Amino acid sequence: MTTFQIRNLSKIYGTDNSKVVALDDVTLTIPKNQFVVILGESGSGKSTLLNMIGCMDKPSTGKILFEGQDLTKLSKAQMTEFRKNKIGFVFQSYNLLPDLSALENVKFSTELIHQSPEGAEQALSAVGLKDRATHFPGELSGGEQQRVSIARAIAKKPEILLCDEPTGALDFETGIKILEVLKEIQVTTENTVIFITHNKEIAKIADRIIRLRSGKILSVEENLSPLAPKEVEW
Ligand code: ADP
């Protein structure tokens, strides 16, 4: 079973002299219910690819098929609808609202898409922060704030969780905890996690490792024995 089938995808930013080929003829299949890492150096096109998959932006050419539907053909309104219904995003920066408590931050996004409020509480429990629900972002550590942002992303139970270097701003120990939370969520909710990183060690926890270089796919590796996050060292 696949989620995304990406065909001959290219993205060119700018024009003429300022032209940057961020993705260059990428063809790729992303299976369902896997923890997928997209690995590459800074500037290799990882965020660009994630943004296309998450319907944040459109490619210059190529197709992204999701359950037979070509996402590149969607209108702006349909792209927004797709993001709301299917995708959770976790970024390196937590982007929490400072005047809302942890629970309110999670509820704020779930209410926007008409989900039941208990989803927010469940999500905070899932990331181990039930007892910090009334705390404000300023009262939480970086790792805890990232866990709130993960709760916010998963509260609507998205089929696909897109993670853009979510451990990038965290120390090693905290980063491992975040990986544990994400891995557990992927296994228990059977969703698809696509996680981008430049860190080769983190890639070892993935079921599938897609290497990007200069906007092209370098390799796709099926990892039959992924490491548990606590076995990873960097
Ligand atoms: P990564 O996530 O691997 O660091 P990106 O996808 O952010 O890579 O960037 C790929 C290339 O596209 C880089 O050369 C970057 O400078 C360029 N790029 C990304 N976004 C834009 C943009 N909005 N306008 C122009 N160039 C961009």
Side-chain angles (χ1 to χ4, degrees):
M1 290 286 274
T2 58
T3 49
F4 296 98
Q5 287 181 292
I6 296 166
R7 298 274 172 266
N8 307 106
L9 200 74
S10 294
K11 177 69 176 178
I12 298 166
Y13 293 109
T15 48
D16 303 329
N17 291 344
S18 63
K19 204 166 109 170
V20 177
V21 182
L23 290 177
D24 188 1
D25 201 24
V26 166
T27 292
L28 188 63
T29 296
I30 301 197
K32 254 191 174 152
N33 306 347
Q34 281 201 348
F35 196 106
V36 177
V37 162
I38 299 175
L39 178 66
E41 302 283 309
S42 174
S44 58
K46 305 183 297 295
S47 298
T48 301
L49 180 56
L50 206 73
N51 288 343
M52 306 289 148
I53 291 172
C55 268
M56 304 269 272
D57 197 4
K58 286 212 183 199
S60 306
T61 54
K63 288 181 198 288
I64 304 175
L65 299 172
F66 178 85
E67 293 168 356
Q69 183 181 33
D70 185 358
L71 301 180
T72 68
K73 299 281 191 296
L74 300 183
S75 66
K76 274 223 151 96
Q78 288 170 323
M79 286 167 79
T80 306
E81 210 44 33
F82 180 81
R83 286 199 305 271
K84 272 205 248 169
N85 293 333
K86 303 281 184 190
I87 309 275
F89 287 99
V90 182
F91 298 99
Q92 181 170 332
S93 54
Y94 325 124
N95 303 320
L96 301 178
L97 296 166
D99 297 329
L100 297 185
S101 70
L103 184 62
E104 286 163 346
N105 262 285
V106 179
K107 274 189 178 163
F108 183 67
S109 71
T110 52
E111 277 165 12
L112 283 180
I113 55 154
H114 318 294
Q115 294 285 321
S116 56
E118 66 270 20
E121 277 153 32
Q122 281 170 8
L124 266 190
S125 294
V127 299
L129 283 182
K130 197 176 168 191
D131 58 339
R132 309 301 292 271
T134 59
H135 290 229
F136 291 92
E139 300 168 332
L140 299 170
S141 69
E144 287 163 346
Q145 289 184 57
Q146 187 57 298
R147 283 195 269 157
V148 175
S149 96
I150 294 170
R152 181 180 56 191
I154 62 166
K156 62 179 178 184
K157 303 192 169 58
E159 272 174 57
I160 297 128
L161 188 59
L162 301 181
C163 306
D164 193 342
E165 301 259 3
T167 57
L170 302 171
D171 62 75
F172 171 73
E173 297 280 336
T174 314
I176 295 291
K177 284 197 189 114
I178 293 298
L179 294 179
E180 280 175 342
V181 167
L182 290 170
K183 195 89 201 245
E184 179 164 332
I185 287 165
Q186 191 276 313
V187 171
T188 54
T189 65
E190 297 188 329
N191 68 2
T192 304
V193 173
I194 307 177
F195 184 109
I196 68 178
T197 182
H198 64 276
N199 186 324
K200 290 192 190 88
E201 298 304 311
I202 290 181
K204 292 176 181 167
I205 72 167
D207 300 308
R208 175 171 294 237
I209 303 162
I210 296 162
R211 288 187 183 78
L212 264 187
R213 183 182 291 163
S214 306
K216 290 186 199 290
I217 302 284
L218 206 59
S219 64
V220 177
E221 181 194 334
E222 196 76 45
N223 182 11
L224 296 177
S225 29
L227 293 185
K230 63 174 181 300
E231 296 173 294
V232 174
E233 279 182 47
W234 73 82

